[in-house]
Amino acid sequence: AQKVTQAQTEISVVEKEDVTLDCVYETRDTTYYLFWYKQPPSGELVFLIRRNSFDEQNEISGRYSWNFQKSTSSFNFTITASQVVDSAVYFCALRPNYGGSQGNLIFGKGTKLSVKP
Amino acid sequence: AAGVIQSPRHLIKEKRETATLKCYPIPRHDTVYWYQQGPGQDPQFLISFYEKMQSDKGSIPDRFSAQQFSDYHSELNMSSLELGDSALYFCASSFGVAGGYEQYFGPGTRLTVT
């Protein structure tokens, strides 16, 4: 079964705190792709990062960083020095790559992050 | 940079009416995906098209149909609308169909069925 679990439904932090959003996935595929999307209150889905299953190197982009660990099937997302503009729902998504099929995205339930001033 | 365009942005329909949502992918993108996001829910995959052919099908009701045209834009047709069809409908596009290509999402069409 293909599944993404985001156990944290809601997180509330104060500005400048660091926060980590957890993502655990399940897949039988050896090749797959993981994504994070941000959905601000305005509703659009903003692409943040893609990681393929062969690349376990962690990535940092400004205040954002991602920790991919195949051993624990996790792809966690950390925001350093959070800001009010980071308030949004964050979705982790899995895209299998079975046999070259046009795999759709399988989303987790999302984590609602509220950053208070 | 050009983004995915969806129209209309908001749509209000009554039960049993029909609705057509349109999606214009990013130029040179050949794959279009449709997702439905109910209130407080995660997006659920409905259907996708690659080079004008249906490539994958998810939890799309039989009352819904979709197609991709020669200019790569796509339309989602919804008939016999029900209250439960009220949702945010996203279109996404990508270049190529391999799993590694990012799907870029449009702003969504918010459908309200009354």
Short mmCIF file of all heavy atoms in Angstrom, two decimals, chain A residues 33 35 37 39 43-45 47 50 91 95-98 101-105 107-109, chain B residues 33 35 37 41-43 45 48 55-56 88 90 97-105 107:
data_model
loop_
_atom_site.label_atom_id
_atom_site.label_comp_id
_atom_site.label_asym_id
_atom_site.label_seq_id
_atom_site.Cartn_x
_atom_site.Cartn_y
_atom_site.Cartn_z
N TYR A 33 9.26 9.08 -5.26
CA TYR A 33 9.60 10.49 -5.10
C TYR A 33 8.77 11.07 -3.95
O TYR A 33 7.61 10.70 -3.76
CB TYR A 33 9.32 11.25 -6.40
CG TYR A 33 10.13 10.72 -7.55
CD1 TYR A 33 9.68 9.61 -8.28
CD2 TYR A 33 11.35 11.28 -7.89
CE1 TYR A 33 10.43 9.09 -9.32
CE2 TYR A 33 12.11 10.77 -8.93
CZ TYR A 33 11.64 9.67 -9.63
OH TYR A 33 12.39 9.16 -10.65
N PHE A 35 7.63 14.69 -1.90
CA PHE A 35 7.43 16.12 -2.11
C PHE A 35 6.91 16.77 -0.83
O PHE A 35 6.27 16.13 0.00
CB PHE A 35 6.40 16.37 -3.22
CG PHE A 35 6.74 15.78 -4.55
CD1 PHE A 35 6.55 14.43 -4.81
CD2 PHE A 35 7.25 16.58 -5.56
CE1 PHE A 35 6.85 13.87 -6.04
CE2 PHE A 35 7.55 16.04 -6.81
CZ PHE A 35 7.35 14.69 -7.05
N TYR A 37 4.57 20.31 -0.09
CA TYR A 37 3.83 21.45 -0.64
C TYR A 37 3.33 22.30 0.52
O TYR A 37 3.00 21.80 1.60
CB TYR A 37 2.61 21.00 -1.46
CG TYR A 37 2.96 20.46 -2.82
CD1 TYR A 37 3.31 19.13 -3.00
CD2 TYR A 37 2.92 21.29 -3.94
CE1 TYR A 37 3.62 18.64 -4.26
CE2 TYR A 37 3.23 20.81 -5.21
CZ TYR A 37 3.58 19.48 -5.35
OH TYR A 37 3.89 19.00 -6.60
N GLN A 39 0.37 25.10 1.61
CA GLN A 39 -0.92 25.65 1.24
C GLN A 39 -1.27 26.79 2.20
O GLN A 39 -1.76 26.56 3.30
CB GLN A 39 -2.02 24.59 1.23
CG GLN A 39 -3.34 25.11 0.67
CD GLN A 39 -4.38 24.01 0.49
OE1 GLN A 39 -4.54 23.14 1.35
NE2 GLN A 39 -5.11 24.05 -0.63
N GLY A 43 -5.09 29.37 -0.32
CA GLY A 43 -5.56 28.13 -0.93
C GLY A 43 -4.69 27.48 -1.98
O GLY A 43 -4.87 26.29 -2.26
N GLU A 44 -3.76 28.22 -2.58
CA GLU A 44 -2.97 27.57 -3.63
C GLU A 44 -1.97 26.58 -3.03
O GLU A 44 -1.63 26.65 -1.86
CB GLU A 44 -2.23 28.62 -4.47
CG GLU A 44 -1.09 29.32 -3.77
CD GLU A 44 -1.51 30.57 -3.03
OE1 GLU A 44 -2.70 30.67 -2.63
OE2 GLU A 44 -0.65 31.44 -2.83
N LEU A 45 -1.53 25.66 -3.83
CA LEU A 45 -0.53 24.67 -3.41
C LEU A 45 0.81 25.08 -4.00
O LEU A 45 0.97 25.14 -5.22
CB LEU A 45 -0.92 23.28 -3.89
CG LEU A 45 -1.98 22.54 -3.08
CD1 LEU A 45 -2.48 21.33 -3.83
CD2 LEU A 45 -1.42 22.13 -1.72
N PHE A 47 4.75 24.34 -4.48
CA PHE A 47 5.78 23.30 -4.46
C PHE A 47 6.99 23.80 -3.67
O PHE A 47 7.48 24.91 -3.88
CB PHE A 47 6.17 22.96 -5.90
CG PHE A 47 7.43 22.17 -6.04
CD1 PHE A 47 7.44 20.81 -5.80
CD2 PHE A 47 8.63 22.78 -6.41
CE1 PHE A 47 8.61 20.08 -5.93
CE2 PHE A 47 9.79 22.05 -6.54
CZ PHE A 47 9.78 20.69 -6.30
N ARG A 50 11.33 18.38 -4.01
CA ARG A 50 11.20 17.01 -4.46
C ARG A 50 12.46 16.26 -4.08
O ARG A 50 13.57 16.80 -4.17
CB ARG A 50 11.04 16.98 -5.98
CG ARG A 50 10.98 15.58 -6.56
CD ARG A 50 11.30 15.60 -8.04
NE ARG A 50 12.71 15.88 -8.27
CZ ARG A 50 13.19 16.31 -9.43
NH1 ARG A 50 12.40 16.54 -10.43
NH2 ARG A 50 14.47 16.53 -9.57
N PHE A 91 1.78 19.96 3.29
CA PHE A 91 1.48 18.59 2.86
C PHE A 91 2.75 17.89 2.42
O PHE A 91 3.53 18.44 1.63
CB PHE A 91 0.49 18.57 1.70
CG PHE A 91 -0.91 18.98 2.06
CD1 PHE A 91 -1.36 20.26 1.84
CD2 PHE A 91 -1.78 18.06 2.63
CE1 PHE A 91 -2.66 20.63 2.17
CE2 PHE A 91 -3.08 18.41 2.96
CZ PHE A 91 -3.52 19.71 2.73
N ARG A 95 5.05 10.02 -4.54
CA ARG A 95 4.72 9.69 -5.92
C ARG A 95 5.48 8.43 -6.30
O ARG A 95 6.69 8.47 -6.50
CB ARG A 95 5.06 10.82 -6.87
CG ARG A 95 4.57 10.56 -8.28
CD ARG A 95 4.82 11.71 -9.19
NE ARG A 95 4.22 11.48 -10.50
CZ ARG A 95 4.36 12.31 -11.54
NH1 ARG A 95 5.08 13.41 -11.41
NH2 ARG A 95 3.80 12.04 -12.68
N PRO A 96 4.78 7.30 -6.36
CA PRO A 96 5.45 6.07 -6.77
C PRO A 96 5.88 6.16 -8.22
O PRO A 96 5.43 7.04 -8.95
CB PRO A 96 4.36 5.00 -6.58
CG PRO A 96 3.30 5.64 -5.76
CD PRO A 96 3.37 7.11 -6.08
N ASN A 97 6.70 5.24 -8.64
CA ASN A 97 7.15 5.25 -10.03
C ASN A 97 7.09 3.83 -10.56
O ASN A 97 8.05 3.30 -11.08
CB ASN A 97 8.58 5.76 -10.13
CG ASN A 97 8.98 6.05 -11.57
OD1 ASN A 97 8.20 6.58 -12.34
ND2 ASN A 97 10.19 5.69 -11.94
N TYR A 98 5.94 3.21 -10.41
CA TYR A 98 5.82 1.81 -10.77
C TYR A 98 5.77 1.66 -12.29
O TYR A 98 4.86 2.15 -12.94
CB TYR A 98 4.59 1.17 -10.13
CG TYR A 98 3.44 2.12 -9.86
CD1 TYR A 98 2.56 2.48 -10.87
CD2 TYR A 98 3.25 2.65 -8.60
CE1 TYR A 98 1.53 3.34 -10.62
CE2 TYR A 98 2.21 3.52 -8.34
CZ TYR A 98 1.35 3.86 -9.36
OH TYR A 98 0.33 4.72 -9.10
N SER A 101 4.59 4.11 -14.99
CA SER A 101 3.23 4.64 -15.01
C SER A 101 3.23 6.09 -14.56
O SER A 101 4.15 6.55 -13.90
CB SER A 101 2.34 3.81 -14.09
OG SER A 101 1.04 4.34 -14.04
N GLN A 102 2.19 6.79 -14.95
CA GLN A 102 2.13 8.20 -14.64
C GLN A 102 1.57 8.38 -13.24
O GLN A 102 0.40 8.70 -13.07
CB GLN A 102 1.26 8.92 -15.68
CG GLN A 102 1.82 8.83 -17.08
CD GLN A 102 1.56 7.49 -17.75
OE1 GLN A 102 0.55 6.89 -17.52
NE2 GLN A 102 2.50 7.03 -18.55
N GLY A 103 2.41 8.14 -12.26
CA GLY A 103 1.95 8.13 -10.88
C GLY A 103 1.44 9.46 -10.39
O GLY A 103 2.08 10.49 -10.56
N ASN A 104 0.31 9.41 -9.76
CA ASN A 104 -0.24 10.61 -9.18
C ASN A 104 0.35 10.83 -7.80
O ASN A 104 1.03 9.96 -7.25
CB ASN A 104 -1.75 10.48 -9.07
CG ASN A 104 -2.16 9.21 -8.35
OD1 ASN A 104 -2.18 8.14 -8.95
ND2 ASN A 104 -2.44 9.29 -7.06
N LEU A 105 0.11 11.96 -7.22
CA LEU A 105 0.58 12.27 -5.88
C LEU A 105 -0.36 11.72 -4.83
O LEU A 105 -1.58 11.84 -4.95
CB LEU A 105 0.71 13.78 -5.70
CG LEU A 105 1.83 14.48 -6.47
CD1 LEU A 105 1.71 15.98 -6.31
CD2 LEU A 105 3.18 14.01 -5.99
N PHE A 107 -1.13 12.27 -1.01
CA PHE A 107 -0.87 13.27 0.01
C PHE A 107 -1.10 12.72 1.41
O PHE A 107 -1.94 11.85 1.63
CB PHE A 107 -1.78 14.48 -0.18
CG PHE A 107 -1.43 15.36 -1.35
CD1 PHE A 107 -1.89 15.09 -2.62
CD2 PHE A 107 -0.63 16.49 -1.16
CE1 PHE A 107 -1.57 15.90 -3.69
CE2 PHE A 107 -0.31 17.31 -2.23
CZ PHE A 107 -0.77 17.01 -3.50
N GLY A 108 -0.35 13.27 2.36
CA GLY A 108 -0.69 13.08 3.76
C GLY A 108 -1.85 14.01 4.10
O GLY A 108 -2.31 14.80 3.27
N LYS A 109 -2.32 13.92 5.33
CA LYS A 109 -3.47 14.72 5.75
C LYS A 109 -3.10 16.19 5.99
O LYS A 109 -3.97 17.02 6.18
CB LYS A 109 -4.10 14.14 7.01
CG LYS A 109 -4.70 12.75 6.81
CD LYS A 109 -5.81 12.76 5.79
CE LYS A 109 -6.43 11.38 5.63
NZ LYS A 109 -7.43 11.37 4.52
N TYR B 33 -3.07 16.90 -14.44
CA TYR B 33 -3.68 16.12 -13.36
C TYR B 33 -4.82 16.93 -12.75
O TYR B 33 -4.72 18.15 -12.63
CB TYR B 33 -2.66 15.84 -12.25
CG TYR B 33 -1.34 15.28 -12.73
CD1 TYR B 33 -0.35 16.11 -13.25
CD2 TYR B 33 -1.08 13.92 -12.65
CE1 TYR B 33 0.86 15.60 -13.68
CE2 TYR B 33 0.14 13.39 -13.07
CZ TYR B 33 1.09 14.24 -13.59
OH TYR B 33 2.28 13.73 -14.02
N TYR B 35 -7.17 17.17 -9.20
CA TYR B 35 -7.31 16.76 -7.80
C TYR B 35 -8.53 17.47 -7.20
O TYR B 35 -8.86 18.59 -7.58
CB TYR B 35 -6.08 17.15 -6.97
CG TYR B 35 -4.82 16.40 -7.31
CD1 TYR B 35 -4.01 16.80 -8.36
CD2 TYR B 35 -4.43 15.29 -6.57
CE1 TYR B 35 -2.84 16.11 -8.66
CE2 TYR B 35 -3.26 14.60 -6.86
CZ TYR B 35 -2.48 15.02 -7.91
OH TYR B 35 -1.33 14.34 -8.21
N GLN B 37 -10.08 18.65 -3.45
CA GLN B 37 -9.77 18.84 -2.03
C GLN B 37 -11.02 19.32 -1.30
O GLN B 37 -11.43 20.47 -1.44
CB GLN B 37 -8.63 19.84 -1.84
CG GLN B 37 -8.18 19.96 -0.39
CD GLN B 37 -7.04 20.95 -0.19
OE1 GLN B 37 -6.86 21.87 -0.98
NE2 GLN B 37 -6.25 20.75 0.86
N GLN B 41 -9.55 18.72 4.08
CA GLN B 41 -9.02 17.44 3.62
C GLN B 41 -7.73 17.62 2.81
O GLN B 41 -7.37 18.74 2.47
CB GLN B 41 -10.07 16.72 2.75
CG GLN B 41 -11.39 16.49 3.44
CD GLN B 41 -11.26 15.55 4.62
OE1 GLN B 41 -10.61 14.51 4.52
NE2 GLN B 41 -11.85 15.91 5.73
N ASP B 42 -7.09 16.51 2.54
CA ASP B 42 -5.94 16.55 1.64
C ASP B 42 -6.45 16.38 0.21
O ASP B 42 -7.52 15.83 -0.02
CB ASP B 42 -4.94 15.44 1.99
CG ASP B 42 -5.60 14.07 2.03
OD1 ASP B 42 -6.52 13.89 2.84
OD2 ASP B 42 -5.20 13.20 1.23
N PRO B 43 -5.68 16.84 -0.76
CA PRO B 43 -6.09 16.68 -2.16
C PRO B 43 -6.16 15.20 -2.55
O PRO B 43 -5.29 14.42 -2.19
CB PRO B 43 -4.99 17.40 -2.93
CG PRO B 43 -4.37 18.34 -1.94
CD PRO B 43 -4.45 17.63 -0.62
N PHE B 45 -6.51 12.57 -5.79
CA PHE B 45 -6.31 12.48 -7.23
C PHE B 45 -7.58 11.99 -7.94
O PHE B 45 -8.21 11.02 -7.50
CB PHE B 45 -5.16 11.52 -7.51
CG PHE B 45 -4.98 11.17 -8.95
CD1 PHE B 45 -4.52 12.11 -9.87
CD2 PHE B 45 -5.27 9.89 -9.40
CE1 PHE B 45 -4.35 11.78 -11.19
CE2 PHE B 45 -5.10 9.55 -10.72
CZ PHE B 45 -4.64 10.49 -11.63
N SER B 48 -5.73 11.87 -14.74
CA SER B 48 -4.62 12.55 -15.40
C SER B 48 -4.58 12.22 -16.88
O SER B 48 -5.13 11.20 -17.31
CB SER B 48 -3.28 12.19 -14.74
OG SER B 48 -3.02 10.80 -14.89
N SER B 55 -4.14 8.91 -18.72
CA SER B 55 -2.99 8.12 -18.29
C SER B 55 -3.20 7.43 -16.96
O SER B 55 -2.57 6.42 -16.68
CB SER B 55 -1.75 9.01 -18.21
OG SER B 55 -1.98 10.11 -17.35
N ASP B 56 -4.05 7.96 -16.11
CA ASP B 56 -4.26 7.37 -14.81
C ASP B 56 -5.62 7.83 -14.29
O ASP B 56 -6.10 8.91 -14.66
CB ASP B 56 -3.14 7.79 -13.84
CG ASP B 56 -2.96 6.83 -12.69
OD1 ASP B 56 -3.69 5.83 -12.61
OD2 ASP B 56 -2.07 7.08 -11.85
N LEU B 88 -12.49 22.31 -3.44
CA LEU B 88 -11.50 23.04 -4.23
C LEU B 88 -10.93 22.05 -5.24
O LEU B 88 -10.47 20.97 -4.86
CB LEU B 88 -10.42 23.57 -3.29
CG LEU B 88 -9.38 24.56 -3.81
CD1 LEU B 88 -10.03 25.76 -4.45
CD2 LEU B 88 -8.49 25.00 -2.65
N PHE B 90 -8.19 21.30 -8.01
CA PHE B 90 -6.89 21.73 -8.51
C PHE B 90 -6.56 21.02 -9.80
O PHE B 90 -6.83 19.83 -9.98
CB PHE B 90 -5.78 21.39 -7.51
CG PHE B 90 -5.74 22.25 -6.29
CD1 PHE B 90 -6.17 21.77 -5.08
CD2 PHE B 90 -5.26 23.54 -6.37
CE1 PHE B 90 -6.13 22.55 -3.95
CE2 PHE B 90 -5.21 24.35 -5.24
CZ PHE B 90 -5.65 23.85 -4.03
N VAL B 97 6.13 12.25 -17.82
CA VAL B 97 5.29 11.43 -16.95
C VAL B 97 6.08 10.61 -15.96
O VAL B 97 5.52 9.92 -15.13
CB VAL B 97 4.42 10.48 -17.79
CG1 VAL B 97 3.49 11.26 -18.67
CG2 VAL B 97 5.29 9.56 -18.63
N ALA B 98 7.38 10.66 -16.03
CA ALA B 98 8.16 9.91 -15.04
C ALA B 98 7.91 10.50 -13.67
O ALA B 98 7.62 11.68 -13.53
CB ALA B 98 9.64 9.95 -15.40
N GLY B 99 8.08 9.67 -12.66
CA GLY B 99 7.69 10.09 -11.33
C GLY B 99 8.42 11.29 -10.78
O GLY B 99 7.94 11.94 -9.87
N GLY B 100 9.57 11.61 -11.35
CA GLY B 100 10.36 12.66 -10.75
C GLY B 100 10.00 14.06 -11.15
O GLY B 100 10.54 15.02 -10.60
N TYR B 101 9.10 14.21 -12.09
CA TYR B 101 8.77 15.55 -12.53
C TYR B 101 7.82 16.22 -11.54
O TYR B 101 6.84 15.65 -11.11
CB TYR B 101 8.14 15.53 -13.91
CG TYR B 101 9.12 15.14 -14.99
CD1 TYR B 101 9.15 13.85 -15.51
CD2 TYR B 101 10.01 16.07 -15.49
CE1 TYR B 101 10.05 13.50 -16.49
CE2 TYR B 101 10.93 15.72 -16.47
CZ TYR B 101 10.94 14.43 -16.97
OH TYR B 101 11.84 14.10 -17.94
N GLU B 102 8.18 17.48 -11.19
CA GLU B 102 7.32 18.21 -10.26
C GLU B 102 5.98 18.49 -10.91
O GLU B 102 5.89 18.77 -12.10
CB GLU B 102 7.93 19.57 -9.90
CG GLU B 102 9.18 19.50 -9.07
CD GLU B 102 10.41 19.55 -9.92
OE1 GLU B 102 10.65 18.59 -10.67
OE2 GLU B 102 11.15 20.55 -9.85
N GLN B 103 4.94 18.41 -10.11
CA GLN B 103 3.63 18.84 -10.54
C GLN B 103 3.41 20.25 -10.02
O GLN B 103 3.49 20.48 -8.81
CB GLN B 103 2.54 17.90 -10.01
CG GLN B 103 2.61 16.50 -10.59
CD GLN B 103 1.51 15.60 -10.09
OE1 GLN B 103 0.46 16.06 -9.65
NE2 GLN B 103 1.73 14.30 -10.17
N TYR B 104 3.15 21.15 -10.92
CA TYR B 104 2.89 22.53 -10.54
C TYR B 104 1.39 22.75 -10.54
O TYR B 104 0.72 22.48 -11.53
CB TYR B 104 3.58 23.50 -11.51
CG TYR B 104 5.08 23.45 -11.38
CD1 TYR B 104 5.84 22.60 -12.18
CD2 TYR B 104 5.73 24.24 -10.44
CE1 TYR B 104 7.22 22.55 -12.05
CE2 TYR B 104 7.11 24.19 -10.31
CZ TYR B 104 7.84 23.33 -11.11
OH TYR B 104 9.20 23.27 -10.97
N PHE B 105 0.90 23.25 -9.43
CA PHE B 105 -0.54 23.37 -9.25
C PHE B 105 -1.04 24.75 -9.65
O PHE B 105 -0.37 25.77 -9.45
CB PHE B 105 -0.91 23.10 -7.79
CG PHE B 105 -0.89 21.65 -7.43
CD1 PHE B 105 0.30 20.99 -7.19
CD2 PHE B 105 -2.07 20.92 -7.36
CE1 PHE B 105 0.32 19.64 -6.87
CE2 PHE B 105 -2.06 19.57 -7.04
CZ PHE B 105 -0.86 18.93 -6.80
N PRO B 107 -4.18 27.68 -9.20
CA PRO B 107 -4.74 28.29 -7.98
C PRO B 107 -6.01 27.61 -7.49
O PRO B 107 -6.44 27.86 -6.38
CB PRO B 107 -5.05 29.73 -8.42
CG PRO B 107 -5.27 29.62 -9.89
CD PRO B 107 -4.34 28.54 -10.37
#
